[in-house]
Structure formats: C-alpha cells, structure tokens
Amino acid sequence: MSNKKMAAVSAILSLGLLLGGCGEKAAPAGGSKAAVTQSNHKEHGTAGAENYFAVITDDMGREVRLTKKPERIVVTSASFLEPLHAVGGDVVGRPDSRTNMPDFAKDKTSIGRVYNIDVEKLISCSPDLVIINKGMNEKLLTTLDMNKIPAVVLDMKNYDSVKREIGVFAQITGNKETGEKYIKTLDEKIEKIIAGVPQDNKRVAILHSTGQGLSVQLDTSIAGSVAKRLGFVNVAQGMNAIEGNPDAAPYSIETLVEQNPEIIFVTSMGKIEDIKRSMEKTIADSPAWQTIPAVKNGKLYYLSQNYFLLSPGVHFPEAFEEMAKLIYPEAVK
C-alpha cells in the first residue's frame, strides 16, 4: 500500500467511516473500536485484568487487552471460522479457501488468499479485532498497529492447539462456558475413535506431495499428530526438520526403504488426480519403491485435503475417523 493510500485509510478510520466492501456501516468514532493494549510483556502499574473485557496472551507471547467485546472481527485463516462461530462469534471479513467454506461465512467480504491478504480490503472492513494466522500473516501487524487495529496471533494446527484456540475464541466472545462444553464434546468424539482402534504400533510413513515434489511429515504435522494419537509409530521420528518448516523432513527413497513402513499415508496440495498420477508413476518407475511393505501390500492411502492440508479445526474428530477407518474399518463405527 502506498504512503498516500495508507494516510487516506488512517484518516478515514479515525473519522469512523467504513470504506466500501464489508456491507455494514461503521459505528461513529469512538463507538465500535475495542480499546486495546498490546505488549510483549506484562506492563507494570496498569489496571488489573478485571477492568478489561478480556486479557489474551496470543501465540507470539503478546498480551492483548480488550476493553469491550469485539463486534467487527476479521480472520486471516478460514480455519478460524468454525471454531469462532461455535462459541458465538461472527466475522465481517475472511480469506478465500480451497477447502469448504462454512455457510455462515460465504457472503462475508473476501480479503484475498491466506497467502496473499489484501491489506486494503482488510482495513476497509473497519475491524475492531483481526485474528492472524501465525507463520503466515504476522507481517500484517505493523500495518494494523499503524491503523490502531488490535490483533491476536494464533497458531491453530494440531488438536491441542485447536482446543486452546477455542478457549481464546470463547474469551473474545465472552462465552467461556460454551467453549468448555464444546471442547468436552470434541474430546469425547475423539476418545471414542481412539478406543476402537487396536494399539498394535503399526509403522507408518506420512508423505506430503505437491507439484514441487515430496517431503516427509513429522509428528508435529496435522497428519502426524493424528497418527500418533491413534497409536501409529511414525518412522520419521528423530529426522531433522527442513529449515523453515518444522513439521517436515526431506524425502529420500533410500531412507524410506530403510525405514520399511507397513503403511504410507499421503497428504497433498494441488489437484488430487495429478498427485495420484505422479505418485503412481514414481512407484512404477522405481524398483526400490516396490520393495516397501506398504506398497507391496497395497497399504498406500491418500488423505483428504479437507482435513489434512490445513487445520480441520472443529472437524478434527472427522480427521481421526478418516485415518482410523482406512486401516481399521471394522473398528470405527
């Protein structure tokens, strides 16, 4: 955004007017913005937490203090939509998504792709809180701070982090009890699936396939965390992560053959038909691939992008069920 545009946006926000795009009128100046204190440490001499609507420590360690319930929320990840909605929250802006968009958010203003957020569209929504996807959109913080727009940075990836973020969303909406009940319901669904799966320590490899090639998924990845909870043993345990991607390790057919997995799960980004075609050609052209037990016994499975490309959020029970049913169809009902 140019300096001239930034100045114009700031001026308009300070007057409390809404730029075109979000379909709702902004409240008068001083009315809709949730006053906030944001810091990287606890400040001395400030009022206690009881004087705020919510005091949130986000996943960057920033303390965000809201004096009132946010009324105009924008999220930069579609994964935040359903958990927020489950505890009574709504949004005025959201990113586009390749996965299913919940019905309540389909008509909300698009702020672009999660990888390429349109800052001008975001600010045109006149938000009083922006929920930012950690690892993807932190660069927006500088612009939001310049425009005095509070932001919370969250990392919703594995199931434990989803439960934590539901708790944060419940703080934002003021529905703590609803959040606790919702988390309990998710826990019960997942524990029921785990209880039906034999704990026989099957050795699995989890590969991630894109147009650029293959990588190996570690236990901290979405699929890796689900497999671990189901009792599978990830053969990639102990491998060094790729720089800049703590959830993945480099792929090597020699290493994969040595690890000798009984089962291979494939997560993917891109058209699944192209991914399957590429994998089938790789296997057919490689005698080494054909020595792996998972391949010899037809135990190579493709996991759905809806649950395993981005965080499935409140659909983690479905992710557990999908993976479990591929191996133990009779045990999951």
Side-chain angles (χ1 to χ4, degrees):
M1 184 185 299
S2 69
N3 291 335
K4 288 184 178 180
K5 288 183 178 179
M6 181 66 72
V9 169
S10 299
I12 293 173
L13 285 176
S14 66
L15 291 172
L17 299 176
L18 175 64
L19 297 179
C22 279
E24 296 181 32
K25 294 181 179 180
S32 69
K33 292 294 179 188
V36 65
T37 299
Q38 301 178 101
S39 66
N40 293 320
H41 60 279
K42 291 186 177 181
E43 300 177 2
H44 298 286
T46 56
E50 65 274 9
N51 294 316
Y52 293 90
F53 173 76
V55 178
I56 298 165
T57 300
D58 71 9
D59 290 337
M60 284 183 64
R62 301 160 63 254
E63 190 173 82
V64 180
R65 303 176 182 183
L66 302 174
T67 60
K68 60 175 291 186
K69 179 179 177 179
E71 298 174 353
R72 300 184 60 80
I73 299 173
V74 172
V75 298
T76 68
S77 171
S79 296
F80 296 150
L81 291 167
E82 288 185 284
L84 180 63
H85 194 254
V87 294
D90 200 357
V91 300
V92 294
R94 49 77 182 161
D96 297 327
S97 175
R98 293 179 181 176
T99 55
N100 292 333
M101 180 69 64
D103 289 340
F104 80 91
K106 287 180 178 178
D107 294 331
K108 305 298 183 179
T109 296
S110 166
I111 58 170
R113 291 281 186 184
V114 64
Y115 297 101
N116 188 26
I117 298 297
D118 187 322
V119 181
E120 292 186 57
K121 284 186 177 179
L122 187 159
I123 293 177
S124 78
C125 290
S126 193
D128 53 16
L129 181 67
V130 177
I131 304 176
I132 288 179
N133 189 21
K134 185 180 179 185
M136 192 73 65
N137 306 121
E138 296 97 319
K139 62 185 178 181
L140 296 172
L141 288 172
T142 300
T143 300
L144 294 175
D145 186 58
M146 289 174 61
N147 286 276
K148 301 187 185 303
I149 300 172
V152 174
V153 181
L154 300 180
D155 183 16
M156 198 173 74
K157 182 175 57 180
N158 58 33
Y159 180 57
D160 286 338
S161 65
V162 167
K163 292 198 292 183
R164 167 180 149 70
E165 309 319 356
I166 290 173
V168 171
F169 294 147
Q171 280 185 274
I172 290 171
T173 62
N175 294 318
K176 182 179 178 181
E177 186 176 343
T178 301
E180 291 171 349
K181 289 180 179 178
Y182 198 79
I183 290 170
K184 183 179 179 182
T185 298
L186 294 177
D187 279 340
E188 290 172 349
K189 289 180 179 179
I190 290 173
E191 289 305 321
K192 182 178 179 181
I193 295 168
I194 293 173
V197 173
Q199 299 297 299
D200 50 10
N201 299 318
K202 288 191 181 296
R203 292 168 53 78
V204 305
I206 305 167
L207 303 180
H208 183 61
S209 179
T210 70
Q212 285 70 50
L214 295 171
S215 60
V216 179
Q217 297 289 279
L218 302 175
D219 283 348
T220 53
S221 67
I222 297 169
S225 66
V226 172
K228 185 175 182 179
R229 288 285 299 275
L230 287 172
F232 298 129
V233 177
N234 188 347
V235 297
Q237 285 186 66
M239 292 183 69
N240 293 324
I242 297 171
E243 185 176 356
N245 186 355
D247 301 327
Y251 159 77
S252 160
I253 183 57
E254 293 79 14
T255 301
L256 190 63
V257 169
E258 182 180 335
Q259 291 169 335
N260 209 34
E262 302 170 76
I263 298 164
I264 295 176
F265 294 117
V266 180
T267 64
S268 60
M269 182 172 67
K271 292 184 177 179
I272 189 63
E273 297 82 6
D274 295 340
I275 297 296
K276 288 183 177 180
R277 191 179 305 113
S278 176
M279 285 292 298
E280 288 167 1
K281 185 176 188 308
T282 296
I283 292 170
D285 293 346
S286 171
W289 260 95
Q290 295 168 38
T291 67
I292 299 171
V295 175
K296 289 193 296 185
N297 298 323
K299 301 291 184 180
L300 186 150
Y301 304 99
Y302 296 89
L303 299 172
S304 69
Q305 293 182 358
N306 280 348
Y307 300 143
F308 292 97
L309 176 56
L310 301 174
S311 173
V314 298
H315 295 288
F316 253 105
E318 289 93 320
F320 276 86
E321 182 177 16
E322 178 179 315
M323 184 179 284
K325 272 188 172 181
L326 288 171
I327 311 304
Y328 304 107
E330 72 288 345
V332 181
K333 300 177 181 179

